Amino acid sequence: MLVRLMYVSRAKDGFDAETVHAIVRQSKAHNPALGVTGVLCCTETGLFVQVLEGGRAAVNCLYNAIVKDPRHEDVQLLAYEETTERRFTGWSMGQVNLARLNPSLLLKYSETAALDPYNMSGKVVLALFEELACTAAVVGP
């Protein structure tokens, strides 16, 4: 059974670009064996938004590890659903390139041109991620 899970969290003690790259590298190395795909977005203000897709047990186990990860705080589940197909099949872990993000795209989905998933529904954040993938704002494998 395939599921899709989306969460948001805050970096507990700040982060730098190398920390984010390390997370993406680790995900790309481990996710294929787990059958997990997805997309990660990290903002300059320390917000992480991630979509995970795969088998229910693998995705649940990965999410539980993220909740326990001391680098994250204020972890909130935005969406969890059974699905018949993946939306981010091409990425063992894609990363949103915020430098390529058009602020007007954020206005399409939220009240302001700032990404604030704590004040957005899971469906809206998923729609935004899908559009980012279509506009090549997600860097791949």
Side-chain angles (χ1 to χ4, degrees):
M1 169 175 296
L2 285 175
V3 298
R4 180 177 305 110
L5 181 149
M6 183 183 318
Y7 75 90
V8 61
S9 68
R10 296 183 197 283
K12 189 171 186 173
D13 295 319
F15 68 96
D16 56 21
E18 183 50 41
T19 301
V20 175
H21 292 305
I23 291 169
V24 172
R25 278 193 307 272
Q26 182 180 9
S27 297
K28 287 179 180 181
H30 293 100
N31 286 355
L34 299 172
V36 173
T37 57
V39 178
L40 173 68
C41 177
C42 185
T43 70
E44 292 177 358
T45 61
L47 289 179
F48 287 91
V49 186
Q50 189 170 37
V51 178
L52 300 170
E53 299 174 319
R56 181 174 33 207
V59 169
N60 290 351
C61 184
L62 192 52
Y63 178 68
N64 286 329
I66 290 165
V67 169
K68 294 175 187 172
D69 187 328
R71 296 174 292 187
H72 296 272
E73 63 183 3
D74 199 15
V75 181
Q76 292 186 19
L77 187 63
L78 295 175
Y80 185 93
E81 62 185 345
E82 295 176 357
T83 184
T84 57
E85 62 183 28
R86 297 172 194 247
R87 303 248 173 108
F88 304 102
T89 304
W91 296 293
S92 56
M93 189 48 59
Q95 183 179 2
V96 175
N97 181 352
L98 289 175
R100 297 181 71 179
L101 180 61
N102 182 340
S104 65
L105 182 60
L106 284 172
L107 285 173
K108 179 177 177 180
Y109 293 101
S110 67
E111 295 176 15
T112 67
L115 180 61
D116 184 7
Y118 287 103
N119 291 312
M120 299 167 73
S121 75
K123 286 183 180 186
V124 169
V125 176
L126 181 60
L128 172 62
F129 271 42
E130 288 174 336
E131 192 157 346
L132 290 170
C134 291
T135 60
V138 175
V139 292

